Amino acid sequence: MMRQFDVAVLFLAATILSGATASLTGNLRERTTANETLSARNCRSVDWTHVDSRTVLKSVATNKNADYVWALDPNTKVKYRQVIDRKPASGYWASIDGELDTISVSGNGKHIWGVDQSYNLFYRRVRNRDPTKDNETFKKFNRGQKFRSVSVNHCGSSVYGVDRDNNGELLFRDARQPNNPWKTFDAKLNNQIMSVVVSGNGQWVFVTDTRNRVYKSRTQNPCWSKISAGYAFHVISVDATGDNIWAIEDRSDYMFYMSDGGNWEDCNSKYKDVSVSGDAKNVWVIDQDGHTYHTADPPNMQTGDVEEIHCADPDSIPCKKES
């Protein structure tokens, strides 16, 4: 026969066990919800806003806050869109004098570099919030060289280019003075380089080679590491810190995303071009029909502190000879 004391002990134990079970179940439920939320916040679940289908484009480039957006149409004509009140669908694509095949915009939006179909290098200064109203034009900047690709950092102080003729050599230029020469970036990469992208802070440089493999290196104490992980990417875009990378696969045109040295994530959608803002909070894409889309709700990003971007000192970039 069970005594009254034994009944009380069993009742107390059951109560404690029940509470512990409820607490454990609650924790599991909270964790599951958190994991489901994390799982949902990948690049496949991004909500894209259709910006414009009237103007057909082939490439797009944006600055730190995505309030300066530049683009190229299939005929290489340069376009500009003024984003009003952070609403990309507002406004329209305005035509800017110039014809380019690739384009790069500094994070502060004041420096535009590009390469035309004849591998000539061009530069344009932006002095007005609406560049259609300033007196600036694209000026040829070759100085006897031909370029495959060009990329500028946030401040406009560091510019990287790929020499078309010299086995795809990677070049660097301190752009603080107009007459500064191009120099060979002193990082050993035997592969022939096809394109280059520099992070906004100027501390990381990314290149693609002839097989569309992607390599990454610090601009100071350079050392290349392959990050394409078996994929072949012909388009890459990085934020100001170099932590968030968007890319388009060459064979399939599928877009991929990688954050803070993680694994590549298949976004399960096809695009022609992609550009991520310096603060990593805005992404612009162009679909297969040349229509533009935008999101201000990208995946969980490693944004770091990008409120104020401090660019790497161009004097500290290692170069081995003048070009």
Side-chain angles (χ1 to χ4, degrees):
M1 179 180 293
M2 188 173 292
R3 294 173 297 176
Q4 185 175 358
F5 174 77
D6 295 330
V7 172
V9 170
L10 288 174
F11 177 78
L12 178 61
T15 302
I16 293 174
L17 180 60
S18 174
T21 304
S23 176
L24 178 61
T25 304
N27 289 337
L28 286 174
R29 185 179 296 112
E30 288 174 5
R31 291 180 181 178
T32 302
T33 303
N35 286 335
E36 287 174 351
T37 302
L38 180 61
S39 176
R41 295 302 305 122
N42 56 37
C43 68
R44 294 190 178 205
S45 63
V46 168
D47 291 327
W48 296 98
T49 299
H50 190 189
V51 176
D52 193 351
S53 59
R54 295 169 297 176
T55 304
V56 176
L57 301 171
K58 72 168 188 174
S59 63
V60 63
T62 186
N63 69 328
K64 173 195 168 188
N65 300 319
D67 51 358
Y68 288 83
V69 186
W70 294 71
L72 304 173
D73 73 10
N75 296 317
T76 70
K77 302 293 185 183
V78 180
K79 305 290 183 180
Y80 171 81
R81 192 179 190 95
Q82 185 174 358
V83 177
I84 303 171
D85 296 330
R86 299 187 179 276
K87 298 177 181 178
S90 64
Y92 60 94
W93 291 107
S95 296
I96 301 288
D97 288 339
E99 296 184 14
L100 299 172
D101 195 47
T102 65
I103 191 168
S104 177
V105 180
S106 64
N108 60 18
K110 297 179 180 179
H111 307 274
I112 315 298
W113 290 82
V115 177
D116 70 6
Q117 290 184 327
S118 298
Y119 306 102
N120 296 308
L121 184 67
F122 287 85
Y123 168 73
R124 188 190 197 279
R125 185 78 160 87
V126 178
R127 303 186 185 276
N128 193 306
R129 180 67 179 85
D130 182 355
T132 62
K133 297 179 180 179
D134 64 23
N135 295 320
E136 296 292 327
T137 59
F138 280 99
K139 297 179 176 63
K140 189 182 289 188
F141 215 87
N142 291 47
R143 299 179 182 172
Q145 289 173 292
K146 296 290 187 178
F147 289 81
R148 291 176 177 168
S149 174
V150 66
S151 182
V152 59
N153 70 338
H154 172 84
C155 308
S157 56
S158 296
V159 184
Y160 289 80
V162 178
D163 189 335
R164 184 201 66 172
D165 298 322
N166 194 14
N167 197 34
E169 191 173 48
L170 183 60
L171 303 177
F172 165 79
R173 181 176 175 274
D174 177 352
R176 294 175 297 181
Q177 297 296 328
N179 295 322
N180 284 345
W182 287 98
K183 300 179 180 180
T184 301
F185 180 66
D186 195 10
K188 307 299 187 295
L189 184 66
N190 294 328
N191 308 53
Q192 190 175 23
I193 298 173
M194 296 300 293
S195 67
V196 59
V197 175
V198 61
S199 61
N201 59 16
Q203 296 178 14
W204 294 94
V205 63
F206 301 76
V207 299
T208 62
D209 66 7
T210 53
R211 296 172 62 182
N212 293 313
R213 295 172 297 192
V214 180
Y215 295 82
K216 173 183 179 181
S217 172
R218 284 191 174 275
T219 54
Q220 299 162 330
N221 300 317
C223 180
W224 293 105
S225 59
K226 188 172 72 171
I227 64 170
S228 44
Y231 294 105
F233 295 119
H234 68 109
V235 174
I236 53 173
S237 180
V238 305
D239 67 349
T241 61
D243 290 329
N244 299 282
I245 311 169
W246 294 78
I248 296 178
E249 220 264 337
D250 179 59
R251 294 182 287 260
S252 65
D253 285 336
Y254 277 104
M255 186 166 68
F256 287 73
Y257 162 73
M258 181 170 69
S259 176
D260 196 26
N263 296 321
W264 287 105
E265 184 178 309
D266 185 351
C267 301
N268 196 34
S269 51
K270 293 186 177 184
Y271 293 102
K272 284 184 177 180
D273 198 26
V274 58
S275 179
V276 58
S277 60
D279 61 10
K281 298 176 182 177
N282 293 269
V283 182
W284 286 72
V285 295
I286 298 177
D287 71 6
Q288 299 292 294
D289 296 320
H291 301 162
T292 39
Y293 291 80
H294 164 268
T295 183
D297 185 33
N300 295 314
M301 297 243 179
Q302 303 293 328
T303 57
D305 182 13
V306 294
E307 292 304 314
E308 184 176 357
I309 298 172
H310 299 281
C311 298
D313 184 358
D315 289 332
S316 64
I317 306 299
C319 299
K320 61 184 179 182
K321 67 180 180 180
E322 295 187 0
S323 296

